[in-house]
Structure formats: C-alpha cells, structure tokens
Amino acid sequence: EHHFTGYAMSPAPLQLLAYFAGRTRRVELGTAVIVLPWHDPIRVAEQIALLDVMCGGRCLFGFGRGAASVEYEGFGIPMGDARPRFAEAAQIIVKALRDESFEHQGEFYKIARTSIRPRPISHPERRFYASSVSPESADLIAKLGFGMLLIMQNEWAKCREDIVKFHATAAAAGFPPRPPIILTNVSVAESREEARERAVRYLGRKWQSIDNHYHFSDGHLGAVKGYESYGK
C-alpha cells in the first residue's frame, strides 16, 4: 500500500485482492502490507471479513506502520504516533475478527460494544503477519502474536539473527513462533553474468525509487519518534 508518489502501485491492497479472489479458486493470496496508522481499524476488520468470505478463507494478511513522511503528511497523521496507533489498531482488528462482539477504550480509539458483519468464515486473525524492518517493530509484532514478514534488504546472516530474536520474543510472550514470510528479489537469466547485469541495472533502479519515496538517505527519520533506528 502506497500513496502520493510514483512509487505507488496500489493504494488499496484488499480491494485488489478481492479482484484476484474472484478470478482464482485455489491460489493463496496475501497483502504486504496494509499500513494500519492510516486507517480506521473497524473498516479494515470489515474489509478483511468480507474478503475472507469472498475468497473462501485463503488470504494471509500483512500489516505495517509505514516509513514515508510524505504519506503521513498526506493523511494528516503525526508520524510520531505511528507505533502506538499501529499497536492499538492491530489489537482492535484481532478482537473484531475473533470475538462475536467486542469493545475498546484506548488512546486513539474508543469503541462501544459492537460486532462486525459479515462474520469471517475462517480465522483470518490467525494468519496475520507484520513487516519488521526496524527492531522496534519486530519486538512489537512478536508480542502481538503476529508472524514475521521479513523484507529482505540485508545479508542473510543478519536476517537469520533477526528471525531467531523474533522467535525468542514471540515464545516469551506465549506465542508459538511461525516460519517467517520472506520477501526477496530474484533475477532469472540464462547465465550468472546476465543475472548480475540485470540485478545491477533493475534493482539499482528499484533502490533509487525507494529512496525517492522514503528519503532514507537524508537521515531525517532518525529524528522521528519511533523511527530512531532508521537514522543508522
């Protein structure tokens, strides 16, 4: 899910998956990611429940808190609130899908006892994953019981360390660790030399598009509450 720049391919992952669900019968579908701080969690829960019915319970759901200041500015949401908004919205969505009725009294959302309709036909809240680029996010989502959605942007040895730490945190919180979902880039070619040339050319463009959108290289995120690790 992205907005406001040429980096965006889809502003609405659940809407896009609804189309794919109608065009397929068996393939497993998933989002990576729905950025929770930008949405009303009740609406997200309703959309997930409806998609669960439409697809027959074959969707995985990935969540994140986003890291692009241009998107937070566009939605008029303080970026420094991203982490607590994400945590609270995630808890609400789990309760809305899991429980026949629920209520919530939090910092950002106050919800009188209610129930979403339609009810999901499976248990989508058991198939939740979250992006864990920063250490702060990994700790938070492990304690929520979500699986780890790892966006591969480091060496494999470092990613292994992150996965082991995540599983330890999840286990300490009482959640059996699930195998992570890893998003990575693959270059398919006739030879290793051609694959490398393609990777340098096209992945180079991809990384430049990422920096054009997020502006990671200027270091500004190091001064944003909840994003201090990006300053490194």
Side-chain angles (χ1 to χ4, degrees):
E1 175 188 358
H2 286 293
H3 307 265
F4 310 131
T5 76
Y7 189 60
M9 289 179 286
S10 169
L14 292 169
Q15 182 179 355
L16 189 61
L17 285 194
Y19 173 78
F20 293 148
R23 299 284 293 181
T24 60
R25 294 179 60 189
R26 297 184 303 275
V27 66
E28 196 169 47
L29 305 169
T31 68
V33 298
I34 302 165
V35 183
L36 293 186
W38 303 338
H39 297 285
D40 180 329
I42 294 291
R43 297 288 290 171
V44 174
E46 288 179 330
Q47 291 165 10
I48 288 173
L50 181 60
L51 181 57
D52 190 58
V53 173
M54 292 168 68
C55 77
R58 56 190 166 100
C59 280
L60 305 173
F61 299 95
F63 303 105
R65 61 187 175 116
S69 55
V70 66
E71 292 175 296
Y72 272 92
E73 290 168 2
F75 284 116
I77 295 171
M79 198 168 182
D81 290 344
R83 189 187 300 167
R85 277 183 176 272
F86 173 89
E88 192 171 333
Q91 293 167 31
I92 292 168
I93 293 168
V94 169
K95 288 193 288 187
L97 293 167
R98 181 192 63 203
D99 303 338
E100 179 65 29
S101 67
F102 72 99
E103 59 186 346
H104 180 85
Q105 295 296 317
E107 180 183 358
F108 300 101
Y109 305 100
K110 297 184 179 4
I111 302 166
R113 182 155 293 277
T114 190
S115 179
I116 64 167
R117 290 292 187 275
R119 300 298 303 163
I121 61 171
S122 69
H123 286 281
E125 76 280 0
R126 298 178 185 175
R127 303 189 302 275
F128 281 2
Y129 291 79
S131 174
S132 55
V133 173
S134 70
E136 299 91 350
S137 290
D139 186 66
L140 173 63
I141 65 176
K143 292 176 180 176
L144 286 170
F146 291 6
M148 185 182 200
L149 177 61
L150 185 67
I151 300 172
M152 183 64 189
Q153 54 185 22
N154 213 318
E155 297 177 0
W156 284 108
K158 176 64 170 63
C159 290
R160 177 181 173 81
E161 292 176 13
D162 293 341
I163 293 168
V164 169
K165 183 178 178 182
F166 181 91
H167 283 176
T169 303
F175 297 104
R178 283 183 265 168
I181 291 177
I182 300 175
L183 292 146
T184 189
N185 299 291
V186 178
S187 178
V188 181
E190 295 293 331
S191 67
R192 191 172 185 84
E193 293 72 23
E194 184 185 4
R196 178 177 175 79
E197 189 276 329
R198 287 183 178 180
V200 169
R201 186 195 322 170
Y202 296 114
L203 289 181
R205 291 180 185 174
K206 177 191 173 183
W207 288 114
Q208 186 59 55
S209 75
I210 289 171
D211 198 51
N212 290 343
H213 180 73
Y214 289 101
H215 298 287
F216 286 143
S217 63
D218 68 14
H220 77 283
L221 285 177
V224 178
K225 182 181 178 183
Y227 291 84
E228 293 84 359
S229 65
Y230 286 85
K232 302 175 183 179

